[in-house]
Amino acid sequence: MDIRHLTYFIEVAKQKSFTRASEVLCLSQPTLSKMVKNLEEAMDVELLDRSSKKVVLTVAGEIVFEEGQKILNSFQDLSSLVNDMMNLKKGKLKIGVPPLIAVLYYPKIIREFKELYPGITVQLIEKSAAEVRQDVKDGALDFGVDLLPVEGEFDVVPSIDEEMMLFVHHSHPLAAKEEVSLIEIKGESFVYFQESSKLRQLVDQECSRLGFLPTISYESYNWELISEMVAENLGITIFPKSVVKKVDLSRVKAIPIVNPTISWKLGIILNKEKYVSYAAKEMIKYITSQFR
C-alpha cells in the first residue's frame, strides 16, 4: 500500500462514485477499482459495501476515510515544508473564493502577485461560502475567503472592510436621493441572493433590527443576474461598493446607505491544524497589503 491507494479511495468516497472519481483523477475506472481493491487486500478489510449499486462505505471504510484525510493532509504539509526549504520562490496555491468576491478583487490580485512570484502557481476555485469553509476544514484548500464573522476551527486574517450601497434603476423614486436610510427600503421590491447566502443574512439581520425584512421578489445565486434585473427595473438590491465598477451606470444608480451603514467585512480563513506554506503566507501578506 502507498499514498496513491489512499488518495484514490478517498476520492471515491468523496464523490460517492467510481465514475466521477475516475474523471477527477484522470484515471480509468478499471484501474481505479483495482487500486481500491488492492487497498482492501492490504488492510484485510472491506471498505465498500458492494451489495449496493451506489458507493456505500462500510464501518471500516468510514474510519479509513476520516483518518485517511488526516494522513493525506499531513503528507501534503510535509511536501509543502520540503518545497519551501528547497524553493523559497516556488509553489502551488489553491484558494477558495465565493463568486462575487472573486470577480471584484481577485483577477487583479492574482495578476500582480504572479508578476512578483512567477514561480508560484495560483488556482482560484469559485465555491459557495459554505463550500469554502468545508474545503478549508478538510485541507483541500490552502485558504479561503469568507464574510466575517466566521465561526469554527479557523485562523482568520481580516482583509476587506467596505460599505454596502443600494442599487436602483434610474427611474426609481429613490434614485433622486444622494443617500438612503435603511428604513426607506421597507416594502420595496427586492432582487437578492437566496437565504443561504451570508450576504443575504447580513442584510436581513440589519433590516430586522429596524423591525422589518426585505420584500424579496426574485432570488438568485448569480450576482450578475441580480444586477441585470435591477437594470431592467425589476427591483432594487444591496451590493458592496466595489460592484459600482461592474454595473452599467447609465441604467443603474448606486446610493450610500445610512442610519445605519452596513459594512461588508471579509477575511482570509485558514485551517488551524494545517501547515501554511511560504507561497500561502506571501499571498496572504500581499492581499492584506492591498486593502490596508
Side-chain angles (χ1 to χ4, degrees), residues 228-242:
E228 187 60 28
M229 292 182 80
V230 172
E232 293 294 340
N233 202 21
L234 292 171
I236 65 173
T237 198
I238 293 177
F239 278 141
K241 184 177 181 179
S242 289

Side-chain angles (χ1 to χ4, degrees), residues 139-158:
L141 297 170
D142 290 283
F143 63 84
V145 182
D146 199 2
L147 187 66
L148 301 182
V150 175
E151 299 177 356
E153 56 276 47
F154 302 105
D155 283 327
V156 178
V157 181

